[in-house]
Amino acid sequence: MEETRLTFESVPVKAKRRSRRVSVWLCVLCAVLAAAFGILFTSLYYVKRFSELEPVSEAIELVKKNYYFFDDKTQESMVTGALKGLSSYMGDDYAEYYTKAEYDELLNSNSGTFIGMGVLVSDQGNSTFIITEVYDNTPAKEAGILVGDQLIRANGEPAEGKDLSEFLGFVTHGEGDVNTVVVLRDGQELTFTVTMRQVYSPYVTYKMLDDSIGYIYISGFHGQVVREVKDALADLRAQGMTSLVLDVRDDLGGSLSDVCDIADIFLPKNKVITTVRSRVNKEQVYRTHSDGLDMPIAMLVNGYSASASELLSGALKDNGAAELFGTVTFGKGIVQTFFNINFGRDGTIKFTTDAYYTPADVCIQGTGITPDHIVELPEGLTYYNIPSIPYESDTQLQAAVEYLKGLDR
């Protein structure tokens, strides 16, 4: 019988080398083609991406070529103007471009630190400017200026016939600047000389009211506000506080992280503070981690309670942790993010990137939060800073206090 054997024939050595050379050249060719296509597609991408900017580039080139007074400063100003124009025409009311100097000034302002004498002034109409706060460790405190003093002259300029911003324009704010101010106190004119220096303006004021009711006012969610709230609560509890009025009237907002940290102080563990949704990031739910404040809370809001103060109001209201008094809030249920602009400019652009939702899954953008109890302030109090409104005139605070007094504590 004839046998048929299946064998694997060896490739001749020369053929094997030829095959390897062909394979190498094919790899090289494929790599070259891939690189070429990559460059082509990248070029097409950038042509498409930047074609929209051709009118801007053309306009700049026209100016550079034909503007008689053109110099490097002109070009810098044009680019800055183009970036500011971009933010202005986005259709986003909160979009803004900041130069490095402007952004540094914003950060400094939000930190609560500034060069000044260390007072808060209330415009009460008819050129009546009353000092409503004198902060600790400030030139004003050291000079002897008191809450209730009426500013009548600054560096020789009278307050009469001026609005507050115009009058304060006569006060210089450079480090080491010496200012002379005249105040009216109990019918007597007193003159003070103060030297400007760096001071910290707190975002929290507090006091004890009758019936062991504590009062905390938050003017903004910046600076050291979280620590200030904790310190205020510790002091009020040491004084025997059994219930709290939390006031965020005229509080225009601030940092998302700060307001979430403050909500964590007041709410029990594992409660939803807010849900943040965006186009590019996964939905983020912020929850509490602490044990919260185990006492009744009445919260004061108004039409200038916005953004972070609304987030806090919604968190406490929806979780049943506070009863709200006042008027409908501003209605800002969106969040802005700051982005650095590189290419040697060191500028920053801010625009809306997220929307936040209350624990009841409601976005309050454009609608605001309706308090549990609608209470209006009397007319004529719009000029007052919130903490300086006399208790006998503050109908909203009175309503909150009466509510707390009526609870079975």
Side-chain angles (χ1 to χ4, degrees), residues 123-313:
D123 182 348
Q124 300 186 5
N126 299 318
S127 300
T128 302
F129 310 132
I130 304 296
I131 293 175
T132 55
E133 290 287 341
V134 180
Y135 302 119
D136 291 333
N137 304 312
T138 63
K141 187 84 168 183
E142 293 159 5
I145 295 173
L146 302 178
V147 170
D149 287 348
Q150 179 183 341
L151 284 168
I152 57 175
R153 279 195 299 280
N155 295 323
E157 294 291 339
E160 187 176 359
K162 299 178 178 66
D163 61 27
L164 181 58
S165 60
E166 183 183 6
F167 176 67
L168 293 180
F170 296 109
V171 178
T172 60
H173 290 83
E175 179 93 37
D177 285 354
V178 178
N179 288 272
T180 301
V181 297
V182 180
V183 305
L184 187 65
R185 183 190 299 169
D186 298 327
Q188 183 181 2
E189 291 188 9
L190 302 174
T191 301
F192 298 95
T193 300
V194 290
T195 302
M196 300 302 205
R197 69 167 187 261
Q198 184 168 289
V199 299
Y200 178 73
S201 172
Y203 287 97
V204 171
T205 57
Y206 68 95
K207 58 188 174 183
M208 280 294 294
L209 305 174
D210 295 335
D211 292 273
S212 302
I213 298 173
Y215 171 87
I216 293 178
Y217 176 64
I218 304 175
S219 61
F221 295 90
H222 298 291
Q224 302 172 35
V225 64
V226 178
R227 179 188 59 78
E228 291 175 40
V229 169
K230 290 180 178 179
D231 290 348
L233 284 171
D235 193 5
L236 290 170
R237 295 182 97 162
Q239 296 181 53
M241 175 181 66
T242 57
S243 61
L244 173 69
V245 175
L246 183 60
D247 193 347
V248 293
R249 291 175 295 178
D250 288 6
D251 181 336
L252 295 177
S255 161
L256 175 64
S257 61
D258 282 345
V259 71
C260 287
D261 286 345
I262 289 173
D264 188 62
I265 295 171
F266 294 107
L267 292 171
K269 190 175 295 184
N270 205 34
K271 294 291 184 180
V272 172
I273 300 170
T274 189
T275 301
V276 175
R277 297 176 180 138
S278 72
R279 293 183 63 184
V280 296
N281 296 318
K282 185 179 179 181
E283 172 181 289
Q284 188 165 3
V285 180
Y286 292 82
R287 293 181 177 272
T288 56
H289 305 285
S290 69
D291 295 328
L293 187 71
D294 187 19
M295 65 176 61
I297 301 174
M299 197 164 185
L300 300 181
V301 297
N302 66 8
Y304 294 102
S305 301
S307 192
S309 60
E310 291 178 288
L311 189 154
L312 181 62
S313 304

Side-chain angles (χ1 to χ4, degrees), residues 328-401:
V328 178
T329 62
F330 183 82
K332 183 175 182 289
I334 49 180
V335 180
Q336 286 70 49
T337 303
F338 292 84
F339 297 91
N340 180 252
I341 302 295
N342 294 312
F343 301 103
R345 297 195 56 79
D346 207 16
T348 302
I349 190 168
K350 174 194 74 173
F351 53 88
T352 300
T353 53
D354 312 85
Y356 71 83
Y357 292 74
T358 70
D361 203 34
V362 175
C363 181
I364 54 98
Q365 176 66 18
T367 58
I369 296 173
T370 301
D372 302 292
H373 309 272
I374 298 292
V375 184
E376 300 281 352
L377 272 180
E379 293 184 11
L381 295 179
T382 55
Y383 290 107
Y384 282 78
N385 295 313
I386 293 299
S388 67
I389 299 175
Y391 180 80
E392 58 272 16
S393 302
D394 194 340
T395 50
Q396 295 170 335
L397 177 55
Q398 291 173 22
V401 167

Side-chain angles (χ1 to χ4, degrees), residues 98-118:
Y98 302 88
T99 63
K100 183 181 186 305
E102 290 168 341
Y103 187 59
D104 289 344
E105 183 180 350
L106 176 69
L107 292 178
N108 187 59
S109 174
N110 287 344
S111 73
T113 302
F114 62 96
I115 304 297
M117 67 175 70

